[in-house]
Amino acid sequence: MSSMKQLAYWKTYFTPNRYSNDLIPDQTGKVAIVTGANAGLGYATMVALAGHGAHVFLACRSEERALHAIEKAKQEIKEKYPRAQAPNLEFLELDLNDMSKCKKAANEFLSKGLPLHLLVNNSGIMTTPFALSADGIEQQFAVNHMGHFVFTTALLDRIKESQPSRIVILSSHAHERPVEGGIDFDTLNDEKMSTIVSRYGRSKLANVLFGKALARRLADTQVYVNIVHPGFVATELQRHNKDLFGPVVLRILGAITAVMAMTPEVGALTQLYVATSPEIVNKDIRGRYFVPIANEIQPSAYALDEALQEELWAFSEKLIKEKVPA
């Protein structure tokens, strides 16, 4: 069902935020990975987790940007959380555009012998010009879904060993506007069969489908998988909108963003809720879809289609076998 047709969605505009940084429990002893943690929502999530005691790995493509983010975060945590111990932050190289490098990143983490209590699949790209990934897959689908699919499944045994543990998958309300049929597996790489917007929607639908299928596979464990739409947030994710809208419309959108968009610190609260709130375990919340701030609604009909969830899982595994050396 479209979010616009759900009373639960509209109620979120008239109810107080259901989560805040003050409600995050002590994370001391927890080990977390946040993808794309050098900026935006990922950075805000990393700061909040580390400020509450978690050992956080910034899984990013650029070491330079990640190390800069770490230094910035250390100062920010000192100011925001004056009673916190010195944050434990590390860089983990992750290139979501290349599945072999995603597997390598997972193996690099596994070699450290650490538990993994929390994986936040935060990173992504939006409305980028048509391109193929290093593996020859349409890039938005490759980065937003396949890279995280490879990374997550390669870490899954360690996450199970570390339970109770959690996996947070970022999607978007754009999952409601994919290509016709939801995911066109046979024409995924055909530029003429999709638009810049529907390709993004397709990749975000894949995030929800993956989260639902993964949660079902982990139903008998204490690994809690949930999916999040962070909302309208002022981040770098919109940097490619010039190609979509042009400079004039982009300036108008920029003005609207400045007035209406949430800051990353506020926008991150929904993913922090599913990542840290005791409610997730106490109420056995798994495979659910949340919108700001920490409100559950139903995703689209495509997202709820178990046959499509399983078709995506099989398709993703097949791509790994074809593209990633054993």
Side-chain angles (χ1 to χ4, degrees), residues 243-301:
D243 298 311
L244 179 60
F245 298 114
V248 175
V249 175
L250 189 63
R251 282 197 293 272
I252 296 171
L253 290 175
I256 294 172
T257 298
V259 174
M260 299 183 64
M262 292 181 285
T263 64
E265 291 73 23
V266 175
L269 289 175
T270 303
Q271 59 209 66
L272 285 166
Y273 166 74
V274 297
T276 64
S277 173
E279 285 188 356
I280 300 299
V281 175
N282 295 341
K283 297 182 178 181
D284 194 32
I285 296 172
R286 55 179 81 224
R288 311 285 184 82
Y289 176 68
F290 289 87
V291 300
I293 297 293
N295 293 286
E296 182 187 352
I297 67 169
Q298 289 295 311
S300 71

Side-chain angles (χ1 to χ4, degrees), residues 38-39 58 61-70 236 239:
N38 60 285
L58 292 79
R61 185 163 52 94
S62 167
E63 182 175 13
E64 180 182 359
R65 293 188 69 189
L67 294 179
H68 175 74
I70 287 173
E236 293 183 2
R239 62 188 178 273

Side-chain angles (χ1 to χ4, degrees), residues 51-98:
H52 286 83
H55 178 183
V56 185
F57 285 81
L58 292 79
C60 308
R61 185 163 52 94
S62 167
E63 182 175 13
E64 180 182 359
R65 293 188 69 189
L67 294 179
H68 175 74
I70 287 173
E71 292 308 309
K72 178 184 174 185
K74 286 179 178 178
Q75 183 59 39
E76 189 170 329
I77 290 168
K78 187 176 180 180
E79 295 171 0
K80 283 187 174 181
Y81 308 99
R83 296 182 181 179
Q85 295 183 349
N88 193 352
L89 300 169
E90 293 189 52
F91 166 66
L92 178 68
E93 184 176 357
L94 173 66
D95 184 355
L96 292 167
N97 191 56
D98 187 321

Side-chain angles (χ1 to χ4, degrees), residues 177-191:
R177 295 184 294 279
V179 297
E180 185 176 353
I183 297 182
D184 51 333
F185 298 100
D186 294 333
T187 57
L188 187 70
N189 289 346
D190 188 341
E191 183 179 1

Side-chain angles (χ1 to χ4, degrees), residues 33 35 57 59-60 91-96 98-112 147 150-151 154-155:
I33 296 176
T35 70
F57 285 81
C60 308
F91 166 66
L92 178 68
E93 184 176 357
L94 173 66
D95 184 355
L96 292 167
D98 187 321
M99 290 192 290
S100 293
K101 290 182 178 179
C102 292
K103 184 176 180 181
K104 180 180 178 182
N107 288 336
E108 174 64 25
F109 176 82
L110 294 173
S111 71
K112 297 177 184 295
V150 173
F151 190 57
L155 293 168

Side-chain angles (χ1 to χ4, degrees), residues 111-132:
S111 71
K112 297 177 184 295
L114 293 169
L116 182 55
H117 305 101
L118 173 62
L119 172 61
V120 183
N121 287 340
N122 165 86
S123 187
I125 56 176
M126 183 176 97
T127 57
T128 53
F130 181 85
L132 298 180

Side-chain angles (χ1 to χ4, degrees), residues 5-16:
K5 296 180 181 179
Q6 297 181 54
L7 181 60
Y9 173 78
W10 293 108
K11 281 183 177 179
T12 65
Y13 287 91
F14 303 99
T15 55

